[in-house]
Amino acid sequence: MRTDRVARIGMTSLTSALVMLLGACSASETATPAAPSAAVSEAAPEAQPPAVRPRSTTSDPAARDTSGASFGVDKVSWPATTQGALKLLNALPQTFRGEPLEVFSSPTEEEEEYGASASAQYGDDNSISVTDEYTTTDTESGEPELFTAEQLLAASFGLVFACAKRSYRGTIKPLEGGQGPGYDSPARSSKTNWFSCRIDGAEGDDDFTGHAVGWTSKKAAWLVIAEDEKAARTIIAGLEASSK
């Protein structure tokens, strides 16, 4: 069901996913994909619809350009932490496609070594999650290791969803076959790195479909999971971030 799959982007399930990822990374370095490098585009992007306005808002924000494969996320200055992102999530339109806005947040779990997180959700089909990078000692060597925003983004998407064939676009190097963004990142990036794709399948639901847009802003990993491309553009347009 869509409820089960999208709800897993919530903070509790993401925590479990990160535990799995850390264990996998510690067990085998050779299983880790290559680090993100040059911009990736497996095929020329298809024609995109024009920018759209958020639906069912209590105000009338100016339309922001969300066109292109990047959905405009590379044209905006995003908060670099969950704390800053929470302000944007709380300022989202109160309803979307008939569903009310719900916003959740969780502080840093220092004892369990997890970064702070926040999320916003419209019903079962449309959500945004933001997670802060953190340093963990749950490594093979026991030495502290930074779990970067790029790696968090790959985990929050790749451990639940899969991209449709030939739909992956982005500046983050994908996993082999373009199933999602790659995990390995050598260091925190100062620029906005992003990916987008059509979703074709989720854990436990091979028939799941939707659209994903993910990006990083220094310490924060952002991920939008929407029921379709138009919904993703509308939700991103509703995030009142400042243009670059």
Side-chain angles (χ1 to χ4, degrees), residues 138-221:
D138 187 12
T139 59
E140 187 174 11
S141 65
E143 294 296 320
E145 182 177 320
L146 179 66
F147 203 48
T148 67
E150 283 82 359
Q151 292 168 324
L152 282 167
L153 180 59
S156 58
F157 178 82
L159 292 176
V160 181
F161 303 105
C163 291
K165 291 182 179 179
R166 295 182 292 279
S167 72
Y168 188 94
R169 305 286 184 271
T171 60
I172 300 173
K173 188 173 182 178
L175 295 171
E176 185 176 355
Q179 294 186 343
Y183 290 98
D184 195 19
S185 177
R188 178 192 302 159
S189 175
S190 60
K191 66 179 182 178
T192 299
N193 288 313
W194 61 273
F195 87 96
S196 67
C197 72
R198 288 184 292 105
I199 300 173
D200 183 16
E203 183 181 354
D205 187 355
D206 292 339
D207 296 327
F208 184 93
T209 59
H211 214 95
V213 185
W215 65 96
T216 61
S217 178
K218 297 182 180 179
K219 295 182 179 181

Side-chain angles (χ1 to χ4, degrees), residues 119-135:
S119 64
Q121 190 162 325
Y122 291 106
D124 300 330
D125 298 331
N126 300 286
S127 66
I128 308 171
S129 64
V130 188
T131 312
D132 283 352
E133 66 179 31
Y134 61 90
T135 300

